[in-house]
Amino acid sequence: MTRNTGPSAPSPKLMKLAVAGAAILAVAGAGAFYFASRNMKSGASDNAVVVTIKDGACDPNAITVPAGRSTFKIINNSDRALEWEILDGVMVLEERENILPGFTQTMQAKLKAGDYEITCGLLSSPRGTLHVTPSAESEAEAARPPLVSFVGALAEFQVFLMSQTNNLVKATAALDAAIQSGDLDQARVLYQKARIPYKQIEPMADLFADLHNAIDPIADYLEKREKDPAFTGFHRIEYALYASNSLDELAPVSAKLLADVTALKDRVRGLRIPPEQIAKGAARLMGSIADTKIANGEDHYSQTDLVDFEGNLAGTSRMMALLKPVAIQAAPAVVTDIETRLADASATLVALRGADGYPSYDKITKESRDLLAQKIKALADAIGKLNIAVGLE
């Protein structure tokens, strides 16, 4: 009987081949690591400041660069592994560790104007100096307001949102009361009064997709249009008041709208808005109005789109006014451009209003719609530059 005692030992010939193969791989790997380290670069290393370290000294030992982002290429020509650091007093701003003898490493650093030190080999080696001069980039960044500067604007904006959602709930409650009592004429009077505060806070209301889709869905985007169960909120009431001319089956729709705007009010109370969201929301809404809403309209049954646009512009004007005290310091040209574009858009809209108010939207010519879209698009583009200009993006 043959007993299996485990795998047989490899032959001496195979062992030699294995050792030789491992040696080749090790040499190849070391070579690849050497060349990779020697050529380690970032995308901006073409303009790198080359610093050679030898005998405990940096060459050059005194470096001057403009404020902003700089690239340094550190060459270790000493016989010891070292680390290279940029120091602000005792604070390490940037460093590259374990640079082996004969190797090169590249490092990027974003520096403010001022004087710093650089290490040059061993801890006991004398340090070099790094002088960072002011630049256009650093001056622009220094002009940007700190985030704490927006605390006041955010607090005022929160008050504005709460005030408008309070108005929205009160006006919607009055509309609901008229509908529940069967008063069609009074419901028509109150419909637009309830809608105006919603249009003024629309950029923030849009943040809550579930409520927005319940409060202001458009039949155009629903599978069964006006017959779709998801056709609720303002436009469903508008359809009953101005197309069906009937309050039949409208009571539960009105009650739901009141519940939804009340929920919106509660959510707004706890909303923590980052400062960049104010301009971002306004720019997004103005762009949507210019690109789609002006051409097609949304108030298909009442034809009161111009009143909606007026509410949107009023809300946007308020939002920009809240940001102005902070933004004007960092980006006066952008703020002036926004104000100019806002005035142009408002004037173009007001020019369409007659002695009895705004005309029915279906009476507005294509030329007038195109001009209004052009003005509001310019406003959207101007607002879209604000966050970058004040350092929020």
Side-chain angles (χ1 to χ4, degrees), residues 241-261:
L241 298 181
Y242 296 95
S244 301
N245 296 308
S246 171
L247 300 181
D248 291 348
E249 301 180 354
L250 196 60
V253 176
S254 178
K256 184 178 187 304
L257 175 61
L258 179 57
D260 289 335
V261 298

Side-chain angles (χ1 to χ4, degrees), residues 290-374:
D291 293 340
T292 60
K293 295 185 179 183
I294 289 177
N296 304 319
E298 287 189 346
D299 300 335
H300 301 321
Y301 325 106
S302 63
Q303 295 295 317
T304 54
D305 296 270
L306 295 178
V307 180
D308 280 4
F309 299 154
E310 185 178 64
N312 290 143
L313 283 172
T316 297
S317 178
R318 179 61 176 157
M319 293 161 75
M320 295 303 101
L322 290 173
L323 290 176
K324 180 178 177 178
V326 181
I328 194 70
Q329 304 299 321
V334 174
V335 171
T336 299
D337 188 36
I338 290 172
E339 291 180 333
T340 299
R341 304 297 184 182
L342 188 55
D344 285 348
S346 298
T348 303
L349 180 62
V350 169
L352 299 174
R353 190 166 59 195
D356 298 326
Y358 287 111
S360 177
Y361 197 59
D362 55 5
K363 305 299 183 186
I364 303 301
T365 65
K366 183 180 184 303
E367 290 74 19
S368 294
R369 294 190 190 200
D370 288 347
L371 179 61
L372 183 60
Q374 175 189 336

Side-chain angles (χ1 to χ4, degrees), residues 22 99 106 131 160 173 227 238 243 247 290 324 347 354 356:
I99 307 174
T106 300
H131 180 59
F160 169 70
K227 301 298 183 182
E238 177 200 0
L247 300 181
K324 180 178 177 178
D356 298 326

Side-chain angles (χ1 to χ4, degrees), residues 140-159:
E141 188 159 314
R144 292 172 181 167
L147 287 179
V148 69
S149 301
F150 291 94
V151 169
L154 291 173
E156 288 190 54
F157 187 53
Q158 191 75 34
V159 171

Side-chain angles (χ1 to χ4, degrees), residues 190-230:
L190 296 173
Y191 170 77
Q192 210 47 250
K193 291 182 178 180
R195 190 157 172 76
I196 289 173
Y198 184 78
K199 301 309 287 185
Q200 291 203 22
I201 63 167
E202 192 168 4
M204 296 302 112
D206 281 356
L207 296 176
F208 304 109
D210 59 334
L211 290 178
H212 178 65
N213 291 335
I215 293 170
D216 208 35
I218 302 169
D220 301 8
Y221 304 129
L222 301 174
E223 181 182 359
K224 299 178 181 179
R225 298 182 63 85
E226 287 83 3
K227 301 298 183 182
D228 199 292

Side-chain angles (χ1 to χ4, degrees), residues 45 94 143 169 185 249 286:
S45 61
E94 297 287 351
V169 171
D185 291 336
E249 301 180 354
M286 292 297 105

